[in-house]
Amino acid sequence: MVTMAETSQKALQQQILIDDSNIPDWLLTEILQRLPVKHIFKFKCVSKRWFILISDPFFARLYSTRINTSLSTSQPWNLLFRYLYEVRIVPSSMIDTRIALKQSQDFSSPGFSLNFLPYSKHDCPIKILASSNGLLLCCETFYWQKNYYICNPLIQQWIALPKPPKAIKSVAVGFICKDGHYEVIRFPTANYGPSNTLRLETFSSETGKWHCSIVNCPVLDYYIKTDSPVVHYNGSLHWLEFRHSKIITYDPHNGTNTGLHQMNLPDDKQSEHLSLLGVSRGRFRYFEVTDTCFGPRDLRVWVLSDYDAQRWCLEYRIKFSGSWIDEVNEFIPKDNFYIFPLALHPHEFDIVYLGYGGCLVSYNLGTRKLDVVHRNFYSHQLLAFVFSPWPTTIPQPFW
């Protein structure tokens, strides 16, 4: 039997939860903008007033300004598993979240997941191809790509793109999202013929269509390194070219000098396989592990000090044999001494991520400290995904 006191207490609790009429808009805005961004979008459903306040562009600008000017807070980020091949041995939790680091509440399940996409089967997980401004470009398959999705995993918004006009077995893909518009660029990963031209396909959200063009390529028999994610920097897309050790670049908005271009890698680079490109705190970097089969290996990181002159500066050169501390052997077997680069930390110059002994490890280049961040590591394909200060919404398709 419910007493009158209990009834009154319940009514008072409901009043406290619902009645915010005495709180002015400016104060409620100050309170809301201090919440984690993934919770803010859920709170749109609390009331019509909250929905209007949070949906106002002024709120988004205010929230972004607070994040950008904070000295103690960096934009949330994580490493995502791009491809998962051996799904029979991959834990279902990894399939669901695709996150490698358990460091941010914004990436905690079920707040961050790709299960909302229409194609998300456990036996064939969807592939993450690229990211831009808080959005992901995904595809159902690695080869013969035809069904592309653009999504914001934080607010679980997605759209499907029209299918490309031509089926190509293997493509190099780029993705740019800026000022409410986005573009997807793709071209064959290899060219074995004598021609210096190739077919480049571009999808633009402004037209809602794929556009095909024949463009020049500076390398005749190029081969794009697809296990190194494409990097958007200085207005251009950058892919590692494997056969000639170059960087292939493309600026989709350069109307006077169309086509692909090439950049040189550091002259003293050594690795042909174990390398990748990345951006740390706004600096373009090249990261490699020397791919010798025997003897000590080197870890090297360069920064591009002059983009136009293509001038590289060696930041770190570390010999593994003299840098690992003895405690490492307590949790990583000696017979699995296979090291490969996986990612650069987007906010910290000194931290890189490696695959080592079946584990994902972080390595501090300054202190030489090695930490295991993920055991039973199943993927050589990672993507550093950084949230935008305010979640990027995807314009609704008109096609």
Side-chain angles (χ1 to χ4, degrees), residues 60 83 132 142 229 332 358:
Y83 315 136
S132 179
F142 179 75
I332 299 181

Side-chain angles (χ1 to χ4, degrees), residues 260-380:
L260 301 180
H261 301 274
Q262 73 174 15
M263 289 178 59
N264 294 321
L265 287 168
D267 293 333
D268 50 346
K269 69 173 292 296
Q270 293 186 7
S271 178
E272 298 297 333
H273 305 277
L274 306 178
S275 58
L276 56 85
L277 301 172
V279 177
S280 296
R281 297 180 65 181
R283 304 294 300 277
F284 191 69
R285 305 172 88 194
Y286 174 73
F287 173 28
E288 75 168 20
V289 174
T290 53
D291 49 0
T292 56
C293 296
F294 302 99
R297 292 185 173 185
D298 286 355
L299 182 154
R300 301 183 183 187
V301 179
W302 289 262
V303 63
L304 190 62
S305 57
D306 190 323
Y307 187 90
D308 294 330
Q310 301 181 25
R311 185 176 299 115
W312 293 91
C313 177
L314 181 64
E315 289 184 300
Y316 296 98
R317 179 179 178 180
I318 298 171
K319 288 187 177 296
F320 286 131
S321 60
S323 61
W324 301 135
I325 56 176
D326 294 336
E327 287 78 2
V328 169
N329 294 325
E330 294 182 5
F331 52 82
I332 299 181
K334 285 185 178 181
D335 56 355
N336 286 333
F337 191 74
Y338 178 69
I339 308 166
F340 49 94
L342 287 170
L344 295 163
H345 196 297
H347 303 314
E348 300 291 342
F349 279 128
D350 292 342
I351 299 177
V352 298
Y353 293 89
L354 303 159
Y356 178 58
C359 298
L360 170 63
V361 301
S362 67
Y363 185 67
N364 190 305
L365 300 167
T367 64
R368 306 294 196 267
K369 183 180 180 182
L370 183 74
D371 292 314
V372 173
V373 295
H374 200 294
R375 297 180 181 274
N376 301 320
F377 186 64
Y378 299 100
S379 175
H380 292 188

Side-chain angles (χ1 to χ4, degrees), residues 66-86:
R66 188 182 64 83
I67 294 296
N68 290 331
T69 57
S70 174
L71 298 178
S72 59
T73 304
S74 299
Q75 292 172 230
W77 75 281
N78 212 304
L79 294 176
L80 305 184
F81 295 101
R82 298 177 64 204
Y83 315 136
L84 296 173
Y85 295 111
E86 299 296 329

Side-chain angles (χ1 to χ4, degrees), residues 189-204:
T189 55
N191 179 24
Y192 300 100
S195 174
N196 66 340
T197 62
L198 57 82
R199 176 189 175 97
L200 185 140
E201 299 174 343
T202 303
F203 177 85
S204 171

Side-chain angles (χ1 to χ4, degrees), residues 98-146:
R98 303 294 287 272
I99 60 175
L101 307 179
K102 310 293 184 181
Q103 64 179 27
S104 170
Q105 59 179 338
D106 292 307
F107 286 87
S108 60
S109 182
F112 185 93
S113 173
L114 297 180
N115 288 342
F116 60 91
L117 292 175
Y119 189 93
S120 186
K121 300 179 181 178
H122 178 77
D123 58 343
C124 189
I126 200 163
K127 278 59 177 176
I128 301 174
L129 303 180
S131 68
S132 179
N133 197 25
L135 300 182
L136 293 176
L137 174 67
C138 303
C139 189
E140 297 178 357
T141 58
F142 179 75
Y143 294 110
W144 302 108
Q145 296 175 5
K146 60 180 182 179

